Amino acid sequence: METHVFLVRHGVTEWNQTKRYQGHQDVPLSELGRQQAERVAAYLADQPFAAIYSSDLERAHETARCIAAKQGISVTCFPEFRERHGGEWEGRTVEEVLREYPDWETVRLTGGVYGVEPTTAVQERFVRKCEELVHKHRGERILIVAHGMCITAALGVLTQGEIDFGKTRLENTAISHLTHHELDGWKLRSFNQTPHLEAE
């Protein structure tokens, strides 16, 4: 019995556009981000889901609400799907962090200093909640709206490194599709798909 899990990154924010670390800062979608959310919602409208889940941060929750409105269902939020906590980096631009933290590249990949949440901690909380929901929805289709780093970090575990944080940049409102089978485990069906943004 296969369970289908669709992972969607939230729409773009002004902080995304200015390359500013967001982390747990509750930054809303920009106007472009709202348009992206509406477009991914329209694209997924004829693909019914048993449930829609989201990070409890507004940029993800708003994106999820757009999708759920087309499905006629509600959204359930979990803090386990939050973006990585950015510690001292939150609110700063990438340029500022590069200038002030010479070990930026190493810390970005591993975390654990400057208050930056360890990558392994992000993976553990995200994957644990995913597996809990898969057991709850065996044989069904569910959708989770979350954030770029936490999705790719979790995929590093679920795909055994086929996709991983630091290898690929996940686009805003990109869709990734996994299946889970009780015997065969996780399989990645598609990654970082944005047909809704490419359409005229």
Side-chain angles (χ1 to χ4, degrees):
M1 182 180 292
E2 275 192 337
T3 304
H4 293 259
V5 179
F6 292 79
L7 301 174
V8 175
R9 186 186 178 196
H10 63 79
V12 75
T13 69
E14 288 184 7
W15 282 26
N16 287 142
Q17 292 170 298
T18 57
K19 297 183 179 179
R20 191 175 295 276
Y21 278 94
Q22 295 178 113
H24 286 195
Q25 299 301 305
D26 208 5
V27 183
L29 296 179
S30 65
E31 183 55 40
L32 175 58
R34 293 187 184 95
Q35 293 172 15
Q36 292 175 335
E38 291 293 346
R39 291 180 76 169
V40 72
Y43 178 78
L44 294 169
D46 61 351
Q47 301 182 46
F49 297 101
I52 294 177
Y53 297 98
S54 173
S55 157
D56 60 352
L57 296 174
E58 179 59 20
R59 56 193 184 272
H61 191 201
E62 184 176 357
T63 304
R65 292 197 304 270
C66 287
I67 298 169
K70 300 284 188 184
Q71 305 264 335
I73 61 178
S74 60
V75 177
T76 301
C77 294
F78 290 113
E80 289 91 340
F81 294 141
R82 281 188 175 197
E83 185 59 292
R84 164 197 241 166
H85 194 291
E88 296 176 15
W89 295 359
E90 291 192 3
R92 300 189 182 194
T93 64
V94 171
E95 183 179 310
E96 289 169 340
V97 171
L98 278 168
R99 184 172 62 248
E100 297 175 29
Y101 298 85
D103 54 351
W104 169 83
E105 183 63 25
T106 299
V107 176
R108 183 181 75 90
L109 293 174
T110 64
V113 295
Y114 311 129
V116 179
E117 186 177 3
T119 301
T120 53
V122 179
Q123 292 170 320
E124 286 167 8
R125 63 174 164 82
F126 198 105
V127 170
R128 182 175 63 248
K129 182 55 72 172
C130 274
E131 291 181 338
E132 178 185 313
L133 294 175
V134 160
H135 290 303
K136 179 180 178 180
H137 293 284
R138 285 178 181 160
E140 296 182 326
R141 293 161 48 91
I142 64 172
L143 183 139
I144 299 167
V145 181
H147 308 265
M149 184 276 171
C150 65
I151 290 175
T152 52
L155 287 174
V157 175
L158 299 177
T159 69
Q160 298 182 332
E162 179 183 350
I163 300 294
D164 207 349
F165 175 61
K167 289 184 179 180
T168 305
R169 183 185 181 280
L170 193 64
E171 299 297 327
N172 288 98
T173 67
I175 304 163
S176 300
H177 176 201
L178 301 109
T179 54
H180 181 271
H181 191 279
E182 292 177 26
L183 297 178
D184 298 333
W186 292 94
K187 289 186 179 178
L188 182 66
R189 301 300 184 180
S190 62
F191 173 69
N192 206 17
Q193 301 296 298
T194 55
H196 52 286
L197 301 182
E198 297 156 12
E200 292 293 331

